[in-house]
Amino acid sequence: MDVLLNEEEQMLKNLAREFLEKECPPEMARAMEADDLGYPPALWKKLADLGWLGLALPEAYGGQGLPLAYLGLIFEELGRAIAPVPFHSTMMAALTIAKDGSEQQKKEVLPAVARGDMVLTWALLETDPRLLPETVHAQATPQGNGYVISGTKMFVDNFNAAQKFLVACRTAPVSGDKSPVTPLYERGGLSSPPLQRGVGGISAQGSEAGLSLFLVDTNLPGISHTPLGTMVKDKQSRVTFDRVAVPASSLVGRLHQGWPVIEGMLDRGTILLCAQMLGATRKDAEMGIDYAKNRVAFGRPIGAFQSIQHLCADMIVWVDGVQLLTYEALWRMDQGLPASIEISQAKAFANDKCEAVVRSSQVIHGGIGFMAEFNLNLWFRRVSSWTMRMGTSFEHRARIARALLDQPGRVRLGESMYDLAPSG
Amino acid sequence: MDFGFTPRQEALKQEVRQFIAENVSPEVLAEAAKGWEEGRGPRTRELLKKIADRGWVGISWPKEYGGQGGSRIDQYLVEEEFARVGIGVGGAGSGAPAILAAGTEEQKQYFLPRIIRGEIVFGLGFTEPQAGADLASLQCRAVRDGDEYVVNGQKMFTSSAHFATHLYLMARTDPEAPKHKGISIFLIPMDTPGITVRPLWTIQSNPTAPLGTTYGQARTNEVFLEDVHVPASCILGEENMGWYVGAMGLNLDRVGASRYLLSVSRDEDIINWVKENDFQGFTPAQDPAVRDRLAELWIEAQVCRLMTLRSMSLVEHGGKFTYEGSAEKVFSPEHGVRTTETITQVLGPYAQLMNGSPEAIEDGIFAHNVLGAFQSGINHGSVQVMRDQVARRGLGMPRS
Ligand SMILES: Cc1cc2nc3c(=O)[nH]c(=O)nc-3n(C[C@H](O)[C@H](O)[C@H](O)COP(=O)(O)OP(=O)(O)OC[C@H]3O[C@@H](n4cnc5c(N)ncnc54)[C@H](O)[C@@H]3O)c2cc1C
Ligand SMILES: Cc1cc2nc3c(=O)[nH]c(=O)nc-3n(C[C@H](O)[C@H](O)[C@H](O)COP(=O)(O)OP(=O)(O)OC[C@H]3O[C@@H](n4cnc5c(N)ncnc54)[C@H](O)[C@@H]3O)c2cc1C
């Protein structure tokens, strides 16, 4: 047990920071907000040359096979630099293909990603913004030697930049007695009725969800997209599928068994986003603290006032909390241990605390932080929007509550919550 | 990063659990629950001796002083198991870390083995009526007189003084120096003439709190020192360096299993309670608001755990704390209060029932916790002062 970074991890982080400080100033994030593509291809290519794009991909497909925690450290630094690159959506899809894709899919996608020649994304959410199997209605119907996809996906990251994406579709109706109308008490993800099955009782549903995942070219006939106008001015789209024909070989994993694959993708995406939020939030806090040391009011630096000092102390305590939760989840994933609870812990805490930290930093900056040309808002807007992605606090706490309360057996901090009692 | 324990450490945990199942009887626990009032009873002393014989006290202390020369993490694991049943083991608050760091060879030889065997217990004589959070403004005087010091002053909230064998005393030795630079620490036998102990009863004394309550302390004391003559060899560390010796001890005292459990035990208790109980038709475990709040508290409790592990990791790396101990001492006690106050709103009027009352839940521990939980945010560095430290030492913010 040693929760601090070891030498190698620290070195990787330092190198990433040095590179990004030099190559990715905040002006780049600002410029990309007004750019149609949304990222600078030259920087993307440099990330590939540094080996970051293949860092956690298998060696057999052009990657380096390093632990997910290392990728997490890269995400932390990318967040710190608010680097405008489609890294998160690409990694979410690429890691999923690496884990669950067919040999052909791996060959087609992974080396290209590692080289920096392919951008990826994923499409799951529809009207209902919760990351749950029953919110998926887009239909993939068998036809000839493949499938035909129809439906509409929301909040698809970097669609305009991506060559391929993973698309979650319904291939069979939801089995069991799931009514299409979510009961009132479930809305907002506050809670769900006790569950009898699933991994440690916390998985919303298993293979019975009737979903399948497809790897789809973004330029196929029948696919159209409408850019969404977000507070970060990042590139998210509403994507419509109008009878889009895809070959049978696009299926990722097994037919109707897509949910566990999707859940794994969401878990990795969630924790990597936590790492990114962590880096951005710590940087934002540091800017607030620096400002407090230098800004003079009432004859002294405002950082000499205890009310400002205590605000800053809380900011750092909370960021440290996000860091510890995030690292523990990453570590567990690298050990092959179940980590969905730890991931939800990290994201729920990050959602609440990162928002509080960047807001405090705005407060410390008084009026100037509210001005568009002052850079602080670049971090503020991003961290805020990331709290809204990959699961709200309510959704993640609902998952934790299920683990805590809906399985028999006593809980104890520091002990596994996945096997309080045998599931089944 | 490594968040796991080794197979050997996992086995150690199991071994301690086994020992507890076999040796910590309800009778011992009943006696230990009266510890704050009456000091250690015969059953408790016997148990502590058995624990020491297993080599589980002072695991990280050097062998030549009766320790095991082992890791601080092992010690933490053992402390946690015992703290969970309400038995304090392992030297938190013992003064031992400071003696190890600053004591003379003679002091180490004398005190450490006896602390391990439970023969020496310190009362912590820091606080005074006019010096609490601002401890460095203390006024208790120690004047050098040949081979002796003569001590005069008053100490406040000296918790174990009525059963301690020694006083771990902070006193002013140079009234002319800046306030942090004129303080020394003395290790003084309680039976030295001139020392008077008077009880102070807390709001947790009637009835006495069940074991494991935060804070749970029924009694503390005032200590009066009148012309107390002690040999000069009682001084710990150099004269006028006491502030730094004391701060070192406090930092090490602040972190560890018992501190952490003070803040998180009620999280486990309430979750386990709502899982197994309901109020004939009202099942808190199925109430959406309760579920969301308990999950939120659970996450915070994990942060408390991880901050403790971070402190342990820092100790293993040589103990260079800048602000991390203080950060933990801000987050954890305040978390404990949030949990306690949430529980009152989960259980409603049942949360007011004390032990001994009909219908009391979990022997009144939740009610007692309301009375005491906030105390852990005051003792050993209040949360306000700890935030100052995070900001000034950790973040380099200017003094006002
Ligand atoms: C949209 C907008 C419209 C505005 N319109 C007008 C206008 O029409 N006319 C006009 O004259 N002004 C206007 N202002 C200015 C506004 O009143 C100032 O922003 C405000 O007074 C704060 O001053 P500051 O920005 O210089 O922050 P600072 O004074 O530098 O304060 C920075 C931070 O330090 C804190 N702080 C300062 N002193 C202390 C202390 N003693 N103890 C603890 N904390 C302290 C503050 O609370 C704040 O959080 C406007 C500002 C904005 C953003
Ligand atoms: C049950 C119990 C057991 C104890 N056991 C011991 C013991 O064994 N040995 C021992 O020496 N002491 C002991 N104490 C004393 C304890 O350490 C003190 O209570 C603590 O240091 C606070 O001191 P005080 O009570 O004088 O409060 P004060 O110092 O008067 O503080 C009052 C309030 O003011 C706040 N405050 C003080 N300074 C600042 C500042 N600069 N900025 C903002 N806020 C500030 C504090 O945080 C606190 O909230 C015990 C206390 C209790 C209640």
Side-chain angles (χ1 to χ4, degrees), chain B residues 48-71:
Chain B
L48 290 174
K49 190 173 170 309
K50 261 195 193 168
I51 297 170
D53 288 345
R54 294 291 288 258
W56 286 340
V57 186
I59 290 177
S60 67
W61 307 349
K63 286 193 170 148
E64 59 260 48
Y65 309 122
Q68 305 293 317
S71 90

PDB file of all heavy atoms in Angstrom, chain B residues 48-71:
ATOM      1  N   LEU B  48      -4.651  -5.884  27.286  1.00  0.00           N
ATOM      2  CA  LEU B  48      -3.596  -5.095  26.648  1.00  0.00           C
ATOM      3  C   LEU B  48      -2.252  -5.802  26.766  1.00  0.00           C
ATOM      4  O   LEU B  48      -1.417  -5.722  25.855  1.00  0.00           O
ATOM      5  CB  LEU B  48      -3.538  -3.694  27.266  1.00  0.00           C
ATOM      6  CG  LEU B  48      -4.738  -2.799  26.920  1.00  0.00           C
ATOM      7  CD1 LEU B  48      -4.675  -1.489  27.699  1.00  0.00           C
ATOM      8  CD2 LEU B  48      -4.826  -2.524  25.421  1.00  0.00           C
ATOM      9  N   LYS B  49      -2.066  -6.496  27.879  1.00  0.00           N
ATOM     10  CA  LYS B  49      -0.809  -7.213  28.051  1.00  0.00           C
ATOM     11  C   LYS B  49      -0.707  -8.357  27.031  1.00  0.00           C
ATOM     12  O   LYS B  49       0.315  -8.559  26.401  1.00  0.00           O
ATOM     13  CB  LYS B  49      -0.693  -7.748  29.486  1.00  0.00           C
ATOM     14  CG  LYS B  49       0.686  -8.294  29.773  1.00  0.00           C
ATOM     15  CD  LYS B  49       0.877  -8.678  31.215  1.00  0.00           C
ATOM     16  CE  LYS B  49       2.187  -9.447  31.368  1.00  0.00           C
ATOM     17  NZ  LYS B  49       2.329 -10.582  30.413  1.00  0.00           N
ATOM     18  N   LYS B  50      -1.833  -9.057  26.863  1.00  0.00           N
ATOM     19  CA  LYS B  50      -1.869 -10.142  25.867  1.00  0.00           C
ATOM     20  C   LYS B  50      -1.557  -9.610  24.466  1.00  0.00           C
ATOM     21  O   LYS B  50      -0.853 -10.255  23.686  1.00  0.00           O
ATOM     22  CB  LYS B  50      -3.268 -10.766  25.831  1.00  0.00           C
ATOM     23  CG  LYS B  50      -3.408 -12.041  26.626  1.00  0.00           C
ATOM     24  CD  LYS B  50      -4.702 -12.734  26.193  1.00  0.00           C
ATOM     25  CE  LYS B  50      -5.091 -13.838  27.151  1.00  0.00           C
ATOM     26  NZ  LYS B  50      -6.461 -14.315  26.917  1.00  0.00           N
ATOM     27  N   ILE B  51      -2.140  -8.451  24.191  1.00  0.00           N
ATOM     28  CA  ILE B  51      -1.927  -7.854  22.861  1.00  0.00           C
ATOM     29  C   ILE B  51      -0.449  -7.503  22.692  1.00  0.00           C
ATOM     30  O   ILE B  51       0.154  -7.768  21.648  1.00  0.00           O
ATOM     31  CB  ILE B  51      -2.826  -6.609  22.671  1.00  0.00           C
ATOM     32  CG1 ILE B  51      -4.304  -7.001  22.726  1.00  0.00           C
ATOM     33  CG2 ILE B  51      -2.515  -5.905  21.358  1.00  0.00           C
ATOM     34  CD1 ILE B  51      -5.273  -5.829  22.785  1.00  0.00           C
ATOM     35  N   ALA B  52       0.132  -6.940  23.757  1.00  0.00           N
ATOM     36  CA  ALA B  52       1.553  -6.587  23.702  1.00  0.00           C
ATOM     37  C   ALA B  52       2.412  -7.838  23.532  1.00  0.00           C
ATOM     38  O   ALA B  52       3.385  -7.845  22.768  1.00  0.00           O
ATOM     39  CB  ALA B  52       1.946  -5.828  24.970  1.00  0.00           C
ATOM     40  N   ASP B  53       2.011  -8.914  24.222  1.00  0.00           N
ATOM     41  CA  ASP B  53       2.777 -10.162  24.106  1.00  0.00           C
ATOM     42  C   ASP B  53       2.769 -10.699  22.675  1.00  0.00           C
ATOM     43  O   ASP B  53       3.712 -11.367  22.256  1.00  0.00           O
ATOM     44  CB  ASP B  53       2.202 -11.236  25.053  1.00  0.00           C
ATOM     45  CG  ASP B  53       2.516 -10.916  26.507  1.00  0.00           C
ATOM     46  OD1 ASP B  53       3.397 -10.049  26.736  1.00  0.00           O
ATOM     47  OD2 ASP B  53       1.878 -11.499  27.411  1.00  0.00           O
ATOM     48  N   ARG B  54       1.684 -10.419  21.941  1.00  0.00           N
ATOM     49  CA  ARG B  54       1.650 -10.841  20.535  1.00  0.00           C
ATOM     50  C   ARG B  54       2.544  -9.981  19.650  1.00  0.00           C
ATOM     51  O   ARG B  54       2.693 -10.241  18.465  1.00  0.00           O
ATOM     52  CB  ARG B  54       0.212 -10.774  19.991  1.00  0.00           C
ATOM     53  CG  ARG B  54      -0.731 -11.758  20.640  1.00  0.00           C
ATOM     54  CD  ARG B  54      -0.403 -13.192  20.265  1.00  0.00           C
ATOM     55  NE  ARG B  54      -0.741 -13.481  18.896  1.00  0.00           N
ATOM     56  CZ  ARG B  54      -1.834 -14.147  18.518  1.00  0.00           C
ATOM     57  NH1 ARG B  54      -2.685 -14.608  19.416  1.00  0.00           N
ATOM     58  NH2 ARG B  54      -2.063 -14.371  17.240  1.00  0.00           N
ATOM     59  N   GLY B  55       3.101  -8.923  20.224  1.00  0.00           N
ATOM     60  CA  GLY B  55       3.965  -8.035  19.441  1.00  0.00           C
ATOM     61  C   GLY B  55       3.184  -7.049  18.601  1.00  0.00           C
ATOM     62  O   GLY B  55       3.642  -6.584  17.564  1.00  0.00           O
ATOM     63  N   TRP B  56       1.984  -6.695  19.055  1.00  0.00           N
ATOM     64  CA  TRP B  56       1.111  -5.842  18.251  1.00  0.00           C
ATOM     65  C   TRP B  56       1.060  -4.387  18.726  1.00  0.00           C
ATOM     66  O   TRP B  56       0.278  -3.593  18.218  1.00  0.00           O
ATOM     67  CB  TRP B  56      -0.311  -6.421  18.238  1.00  0.00           C
ATOM     68  CG  TRP B  56      -0.419  -7.645  17.366  1.00  0.00           C
ATOM     69  CD1 TRP B  56       0.430  -8.022  16.375  1.00  0.00           C
ATOM     70  CD2 TRP B  56      -1.456  -8.627  17.411  1.00  0.00           C
ATOM     71  NE1 TRP B  56      -0.008  -9.181  15.783  1.00  0.00           N
ATOM     72  CE2 TRP B  56      -1.163  -9.582  16.402  1.00  0.00           C
ATOM     73  CE3 TRP B  56      -2.602  -8.806  18.197  1.00  0.00           C
ATOM     74  CZ2 TRP B  56      -1.982 -10.687  16.164  1.00  0.00           C
ATOM     75  CZ3 TRP B  56      -3.419  -9.897  17.947  1.00  0.00           C
ATOM     76  CH2 TRP B  56      -3.106 -10.833  16.945  1.00  0.00           C
ATOM     77  N   VAL B  57       1.848  -4.050  19.714  1.00  0.00           N
ATOM     78  CA  VAL B  57       1.902  -2.651  20.135  1.00  0.00           C
ATOM     79  C   VAL B  57       3.253  -2.085  19.703  1.00  0.00           C
ATOM     80  O   VAL B  57       4.282  -2.731  19.902  1.00  0.00           O
ATOM     81  CB  VAL B  57       1.739  -2.514  21.668  1.00  0.00           C
ATOM     82  CG1 VAL B  57       1.658  -1.047  22.063  1.00  0.00           C
ATOM     83  CG2 VAL B  57       0.496  -3.259  22.140  1.00  0.00           C
ATOM     84  N   GLY B  58       3.226  -0.915  19.126  1.00  0.00           N
ATOM     85  CA  GLY B  58       4.485  -0.316  18.703  1.00  0.00           C
ATOM     86  C   GLY B  58       5.193  -1.128  17.638  1.00  0.00           C
ATOM     87  O   GLY B  58       6.415  -1.258  17.650  1.00  0.00           O
ATOM     88  N   ILE B  59       4.429  -1.673  16.706  1.00  0.00           N
ATOM     89  CA  ILE B  59       5.015  -2.517  15.654  1.00  0.00           C
ATOM     90  C   ILE B  59       6.115  -1.784  14.891  1.00  0.00           C
ATOM     91  O   ILE B  59       7.135  -2.358  14.526  1.00  0.00           O
ATOM     92  CB  ILE B  59       3.911  -2.989  14.674  1.00  0.00           C
ATOM     93  CG1 ILE B  59       3.000  -3.990  15.378  1.00  0.00           C
ATOM     94  CG2 ILE B  59       4.520  -3.605  13.409  1.00  0.00           C
ATOM     95  CD1 ILE B  59       1.830  -4.474  14.551  1.00  0.00           C
ATOM     96  N   SER B  60       5.909  -0.484  14.682  1.00  0.00           N
ATOM     97  CA  SER B  60       6.876   0.256  13.855  1.00  0.00           C
ATOM     98  C   SER B  60       8.033   0.817  14.690  1.00  0.00           C
ATOM     99  O   SER B  60       8.929   1.452  14.161  1.00  0.00           O
ATOM    100  CB  SER B  60       6.166   1.389  13.114  1.00  0.00           C
ATOM    101  OG  SER B  60       5.707   2.355  14.033  1.00  0.00           O
ATOM    102  N   TRP B  61       8.009   0.579  15.993  1.00  0.00           N
ATOM    103  CA  TRP B  61       9.099   1.103  16.821  1.00  0.00           C
ATOM    104  C   TRP B  61      10.287   0.141  16.793  1.00  0.00           C
ATOM    105  O   TRP B  61      10.120  -1.061  16.617  1.00  0.00           O
ATOM    106  CB  TRP B  61       8.639   1.317  18.273  1.00  0.00           C
ATOM    107  CG  TRP B  61       7.390   2.156  18.380  1.00  0.00           C
ATOM    108  CD1 TRP B  61       6.800   2.882  17.371  1.00  0.00           C
ATOM    109  CD2 TRP B  61       6.556   2.314  19.526  1.00  0.00           C
ATOM    110  NE1 TRP B  61       5.660   3.480  17.836  1.00  0.00           N
ATOM    111  CE2 TRP B  61       5.499   3.162  19.148  1.00  0.00           C
ATOM    112  CE3 TRP B  61       6.618   1.834  20.831  1.00  0.00           C
ATOM    113  CZ2 TRP B  61       4.489   3.535  20.040  1.00  0.00           C
ATOM    114  CZ3 TRP B  61       5.617   2.215  21.723  1.00  0.00           C
ATOM    115  CH2 TRP B  61       4.570   3.059  21.331  1.00  0.00           C
ATOM    116  N   PRO B  62      11.478   0.678  17.049  1.00  0.00           N
ATOM    117  CA  PRO B  62      12.676  -0.170  16.949  1.00  0.00           C
ATOM    118  C   PRO B  62      12.664  -1.313  17.969  1.00  0.00           C
ATOM    119  O   PRO B  62      12.110  -1.180  19.058  1.00  0.00           O
ATOM    120  CB  PRO B  62      13.831   0.794  17.274  1.00  0.00           C
ATOM    121  CG  PRO B  62      13.283   2.156  17.104  1.00  0.00           C
ATOM    122  CD  PRO B  62      11.816   2.083  17.354  1.00  0.00           C
ATOM    123  N   LYS B  63      13.314  -2.409  17.598  1.00  0.00           N
ATOM    124  CA  LYS B  63      13.347  -3.601  18.456  1.00  0.00           C
ATOM    125  C   LYS B  63      14.013  -3.338  19.790  1.00  0.00           C
ATOM    126  O   LYS B  63      13.606  -3.883  20.808  1.00  0.00           O
ATOM    127  CB  LYS B  63      14.070  -4.733  17.737  1.00  0.00           C
ATOM    128  CG  LYS B  63      13.224  -5.337  16.636  1.00  0.00           C
ATOM    129  CD  LYS B  63      13.812  -6.649  16.148  1.00  0.00           C
ATOM    130  CE  LYS B  63      12.823  -7.345  15.227  1.00  0.00           C
ATOM    131  NZ  LYS B  63      13.414  -8.124  14.172  1.00  0.00           N
ATOM    132  N   GLU B  64      15.060  -2.483  19.765  1.00  0.00           N
ATOM    133  CA  GLU B  64      15.792  -2.310  21.028  1.00  0.00           C
ATOM    134  C   GLU B  64      14.932  -1.645  22.107  1.00  0.00           C
ATOM    135  O   GLU B  64      15.273  -1.666  23.267  1.00  0.00           O
ATOM    136  CB  GLU B  64      17.098  -1.538  20.816  1.00  0.00           C
ATOM    137  CG  GLU B  64      16.952  -0.150  20.237  1.00  0.00           C
ATOM    138  CD  GLU B  64      17.239  -0.098  18.734  1.00  0.00           C
ATOM    139  OE1 GLU B  64      16.690  -0.959  18.010  1.00  0.00           O
ATOM    140  OE2 GLU B  64      17.993   0.784  18.303  1.00  0.00           O
ATOM    141  N   TYR B  65      13.798  -1.077  21.708  1.00  0.00           N
ATOM    142  CA  TYR B  65      12.917  -0.480  22.725  1.00  0.00           C
ATOM    143  C   TYR B  65      11.629  -1.278  22.874  1.00  0.00           C
ATOM    144  O   TYR B  65      10.602  -0.768  23.298  1.00  0.00           O
ATOM    145  CB  TYR B  65      12.606   0.977  22.375  1.00  0.00           C
ATOM    146  CG  TYR B  65      13.857   1.776  22.088  1.00  0.00           C
ATOM    147  CD1 TYR B  65      14.027   2.417  20.861  1.00  0.00           C
ATOM    148  CD2 TYR B  65      14.870   1.890  23.047  1.00  0.00           C
ATOM    149  CE1 TYR B  65      15.180   3.139  20.593  1.00  0.00           C
ATOM    150  CE2 TYR B  65      16.026   2.601  22.777  1.00  0.00           C
ATOM    151  CZ  TYR B  65      16.175   3.217  21.551  1.00  0.00           C
ATOM    152  OH  TYR B  65      17.314   3.914  21.281  1.00  0.00           O
ATOM    153  N   GLY B  66      11.654  -2.517  22.443  1.00  0.00           N
ATOM    154  CA  GLY B  66      10.487  -3.371  22.651  1.00  0.00           C
ATOM    155  C   GLY B  66       9.532  -3.423  21.472  1.00  0.00           C
ATOM    156  O   GLY B  66       8.523  -4.124  21.526  1.00  0.00           O
ATOM    157  N   GLY B  67       9.813  -2.652  20.434  1.00  0.00           N
ATOM    158  CA  GLY B  67       8.958  -2.695  19.249  1.00  0.00           C
ATOM    159  C   GLY B  67       9.328  -3.857  18.346  1.00  0.00           C
ATOM    160  O   GLY B  67      10.076  -4.749  18.740  1.00  0.00           O
ATOM    161  N   GLN B  68       8.812  -3.834  17.111  1.00  0.00           N
ATOM    162  CA  GLN B  68       9.058  -4.932  16.177  1.00  0.00           C
ATOM    163  C   GLN B  68       9.897  -4.498  14.983  1.00  0.00           C
ATOM    164  O   GLN B  68      10.159  -5.293  14.090  1.00  0.00           O
ATOM    165  CB  GLN B  68       7.723  -5.485  15.659  1.00  0.00           C
ATOM    166  CG  GLN B  68       6.763  -5.927  16.728  1.00  0.00           C
ATOM    167  CD  GLN B  68       7.278  -7.139  17.478  1.00  0.00           C
ATOM    168  OE1 GLN B  68       7.796  -8.062  16.871  1.00  0.00           O
ATOM    169  NE2 GLN B  68       7.172  -7.111  18.795  1.00  0.00           N
ATOM    170  N   GLY B  69      10.251  -3.211  14.922  1.00  0.00           N
ATOM    171  CA  GLY B  69      10.976  -2.723  13.766  1.00  0.00           C
ATOM    172  C   GLY B  69      10.207  -2.944  12.466  1.00  0.00           C
ATOM    173  O   GLY B  69      10.782  -3.080  11.407  1.00  0.00           O
ATOM    174  N   GLY B  70       8.871  -2.984  12.572  1.00  0.00           N
ATOM    175  CA  GLY B  70       8.028  -3.282  11.414  1.00  0.00           C
ATOM    176  C   GLY B  70       7.502  -2.029  10.730  1.00  0.00           C
ATOM    177  O   GLY B  70       7.970  -0.926  10.990  1.00  0.00           O
ATOM    178  N   SER B  71       6.511  -2.240   9.870  1.00  0.00           N
ATOM    179  CA  SER B  71       6.034  -1.103   9.084  1.00  0.00           C
ATOM    180  C   SER B  71       4.875  -0.395   9.791  1.00  0.00           C
ATOM    181  O   SER B  71       4.122  -0.993  10.566  1.00  0.00           O
ATOM    182  CB  SER B  71       5.593  -1.566   7.694  1.00  0.00           C
ATOM    183  OG  SER B  71       4.229  -1.924   7.699  1.00  0.00           O
TER     184      SER B  71
END
